[in-house]
Amino acid sequence: MLDRRFVLDNLEAVRKNCDNRGISLDLDRFVALEEERRSLQQKLDELNRAANEIAKSIPKASAEEKPALIEQGKQLRAERAQAEEALQKTAGEADALLWSIPNMSHPESPIGGEDANLEIGRGATPLPHFNFKPKDHVELGEALDLIDLEAGSKVSGHGFYFLKNDAVLLDLALQSFALHFLAKEGFQLVSTPDMARNEILQGTGFVPRGPETQIYSIADSDLSLIATAEITLAGMLSGEILEESALPILLCGLSHCFRTEAGAHGRASRGLYRVHQFTKVEMFAFTTPDASEAMHQRLKGIECSLFDALGIPYRILDIATGDLGAPAYRKYDLEAWMPGRGDGGEFGEVTSTSNCTDYQARRLNIRYRPEGGGRPIHLHMLNGTAVATSRALIAILENYQQPDGTVLVPEVLRPYVGKERITPRT
C-alpha cells in the first residue's frame, strides 16, 4: 500500500494515477475519514487523560467527594468506549480504502490500457520461416503423444492436462535449466509451499476471495493455493527488520501455480496457454529503494538471456498503466513468438517482471535498518518469471517443429532431456 501521509500530501497525483490505471476510488472519502480519525483520536486522548486524572484523585478525595468522582469516572469510561468504537469503525473504513489504492506508476510507463503497451525491443533469435504450414502445440502434442487434454478434463475439469513421455522430460529440463542458470547469477534456490495464508496473499496484492479473485481458496481455513511463488517468497520475510548489509536478497522459487482463470476461453487460450495449474521458476529480490530500478533492469535482462539461450523469438513490452497490477510501479513482459497461434502466428506472454517498490513491503511490514543508523525503512520488492513451463513448452514445440512432424530439443536443454529430437512413439 502507499504511505498514508503520502496520499494526503499528494492527493491530486494519486488521483491522476488512479485515473491512468482505470481505477475509480473515492479519495475524497478517504481524506474525510482521515480527518475524522484524527478528531476521534484527539477526543479519545482527552478522555483518557481525564479518566486518568479522576483515577488518581479518588484515593486522595474525602469520603464526601468520592461518590461523585467514581460516578464521573464511570461516565468517562463509557464515553471512552464509545469513542474507541467510533475510531475503530472509522479507521477500518479508511484502511480498507488505503489498501485499495494502487501503487504509483513509473513516469515513463505508457499511459492507457492493454493497447498502449509499448514494444521496446526484440530478442536475439529471429522469427522462424517455415516452408510448411506450422502446427500449433496441441496438434503437435497429440501427434507426438506429449499432451492429453481430454484426460485432464475428465480427471480434473477444463483447464487441466496431463504431460506425457518426452514432454515430462522437457518440463523438468526447463526447470533444471532455469534453476542452474539463476544459481550462477547468485540467487538462493527455494522450493516453496503451494499454499499460503490469506494475509500473505493480501500483503502481496492478491485477492483471496470475492467475485474478482483468480485464487483457489481452501474451505474452512485461512489458506489458499498460490498463483505464483511471488506470494510465498514475499511472505518469507514478512514482519522482519533486516540489516542493510544483507541486501540485496535474491531468491529463486520453484512452485506449482494455481489460477482459476475465470472466463478465459477462446482460441488464444487453447491448450496449455491459459491453464489452472502449471510449474514456474520465479525470481524475487529485496533491495534498498535506491537500488530497485537497476535490479528491475537486471531481472528483465535475465529473462531475456534465458529465452535467448533457449533460441525462442520474443519481444519486450513496457506495460501500460491500465494493464499494471495494483502493486506494480513498472512492469515488463516478454512475449514469445508462437507460430501456431492465431492465423499465421502471434506473440504470447511468457514472462513478466515487476518493480513493486515499497508497496508490498508496507503491507507485509518488511523493513531494513540503514547502515548509518536511524529508524527502519520499508525496503523495495521485485519479482520476475524465469520460466513458466507450460507457456515455454508452447514456444518450444511450435518454434522447433520440423517438416516431418518431429520437434528439435533446444541445444541448452539436450543434456537434461537426453536427446536431440522428439519423435513419434512407436
Side-chain angles (χ1 to χ4, degrees):
M1 62 184 176
L2 295 179
D3 177 66
R4 189 185 311 276
R5 188 74 257 166
F6 175 86
V7 175
L8 295 172
D9 290 345
N10 300 274
L11 188 63
E12 292 312 310
V14 173
R15 197 191 310 275
K16 179 64 174 174
N17 181 60
C18 288
D19 290 343
N20 289 343
R21 286 173 174 255
I23 295 173
S24 177
L25 290 173
D26 191 348
L27 295 179
D28 292 330
R29 175 62 177 163
F30 175 73
V31 173
L33 287 166
E34 283 299 303
E35 291 174 352
E36 185 178 348
R37 183 213 291 259
R38 285 196 296 272
S39 176
L40 286 168
Q41 186 63 60
Q42 289 173 358
K43 181 179 179 180
L44 184 60
D45 292 343
E46 290 168 2
L47 289 169
N48 281 329
R49 282 194 295 270
N52 288 337
E53 288 174 5
I54 292 293
K56 290 177 182 177
S57 67
I58 289 175
K60 303 174 184 177
S62 65
E64 294 79 10
E65 294 172 327
K66 281 186 178 181
L69 290 172
I70 291 171
E71 184 60 33
Q72 191 176 353
K74 287 181 181 179
Q75 181 64 33
L76 285 170
R77 285 195 296 274
E79 291 181 29
R80 183 172 61 187
Q82 290 178 349
E84 285 176 341
E85 183 179 354
L87 177 60
Q88 187 174 27
K89 181 180 178 182
T90 299
E93 187 179 347
D95 288 347
L97 266 173
L98 181 63
W99 275 59
S100 66
I101 299 172
N103 201 355
M104 299 301 288
S105 306
H106 193 285
E108 294 180 13
S109 293
I111 295 173
E114 183 179 356
D115 292 343
N117 291 340
L118 180 65
E119 181 177 324
I120 59 173
R122 292 280 179 113
T125 305
L127 299 184
H129 295 286
F130 298 105
N131 56 7
F132 59 94
K133 180 175 174 54
K135 299 175 181 177
D136 74 3
H137 70 285
V138 176
E139 297 173 278
L140 291 163
E142 289 173 349
L144 297 171
D145 200 19
L146 302 176
I147 305 167
D148 194 333
L149 296 167
E150 184 177 343
S153 181
K154 178 172 66 175
V155 170
S156 305
H158 177 79
F160 291 92
Y161 55 95
F162 284 88
L163 294 182
K164 299 168 63 179
N165 304 312
D166 288 337
V168 178
L169 298 178
L170 199 55
D171 186 272
L172 292 172
L174 283 163
Q175 296 174 46
S176 295
F177 169 63
L179 291 169
H180 282 93
F181 191 101
L182 291 170
K184 291 177 182 177
E185 288 284 335
F187 285 74
Q188 179 184 352
L189 305 187
V190 181
S191 178
T192 91
D194 288 339
M195 291 186 285
R197 297 186 186 279
N198 288 335
E199 65 185 55
I200 300 298
L201 273 85
Q202 290 166 337
T204 50
F206 288 82
V207 181
R209 290 187 169 93
E212 304 271 329
T213 188
Q214 289 290 316
I215 299 294
Y216 286 104
S217 293
I218 309 300
D220 302 319
S221 79
D222 68 339
L223 294 171
S224 293
L225 296 175
I226 62 170
T228 166
E230 173 192 345
I231 294 166
T232 39
L233 295 174
M236 284 181 74
L237 297 181
S238 62
E240 296 194 18
I241 299 176
L242 312 173
E243 297 300 326
E244 183 175 354
S245 59
L247 300 175
I249 294 174
L250 301 176
L251 301 177
C252 165
L254 173 65
S255 77
H256 296 108
C257 303
F258 303 87
R259 302 182 184 185
T260 64
E261 297 290 6
H265 297 293
R267 180 166 176 78
S269 301
R270 170 173 153 86
L272 300 180
Y273 188 78
R274 203 175 294 281
V275 290
H276 296 310
Q277 177 182 336
F278 57 95
T279 302
K280 182 151 72 90
V281 178
E282 179 79 0
M283 300 180 286
F284 204 87
F286 300 88
T287 77
T288 56
D290 61 355
S292 69
E293 289 218 40
M295 181 60 70
H296 197 202
Q297 297 302 318
R298 182 182 175 189
L299 296 183
K300 175 167 67 71
I302 290 172
E303 291 178 345
C304 292
S305 296
L306 282 163
F307 277 82
D308 284 339
L310 289 169
I312 300 296
Y314 63 84
R315 65 180 182 180
I316 309 164
L317 298 182
D318 192 353
I319 300 303
T321 53
D323 206 22
L324 292 174
Y329 171 66
R330 193 177 198 180
K331 178 183 174 186
Y332 299 111
D333 280 1
L334 259 61
E335 291 190 341
W337 180 248
M338 299 178 178
R341 198 165 186 244
D343 296 322
E346 293 177 3
F347 285 102
E349 180 192 340
V350 286
T351 76
S352 65
T353 177
S354 298
N355 182 358
C356 297
T357 61
D358 61 358
Y359 189 87
Q360 294 172 322
R362 289 183 181 280
R363 297 160 77 103
L364 292 168
N365 193 26
I366 308 175
R367 296 172 291 168
Y368 73 94
R369 189 174 287 107
E371 288 184 349
R375 53 191 297 188
I377 300 169
H378 288 102
L379 45 69
H380 280 199
M381 296 160 63
L382 305 94
N383 63 81
T385 309
V387 62
T389 58
S390 55
R391 293 192 179 183
L393 282 170
I394 295 174
I396 289 170
L397 292 175
E398 294 188 4
N399 281 283
Y400 279 91
Q401 61 183 296
Q402 301 300 303
D404 61 359
T406 63
V407 174
L408 293 178
V409 176
E411 188 173 348
V412 293
L413 299 184
R414 291 174 187 174
Y416 303 102
V417 177
K419 59 176 64 176
E420 295 182 3
R421 185 185 298 264
I422 298 172
T423 59
R425 289 173 62 81
T426 56

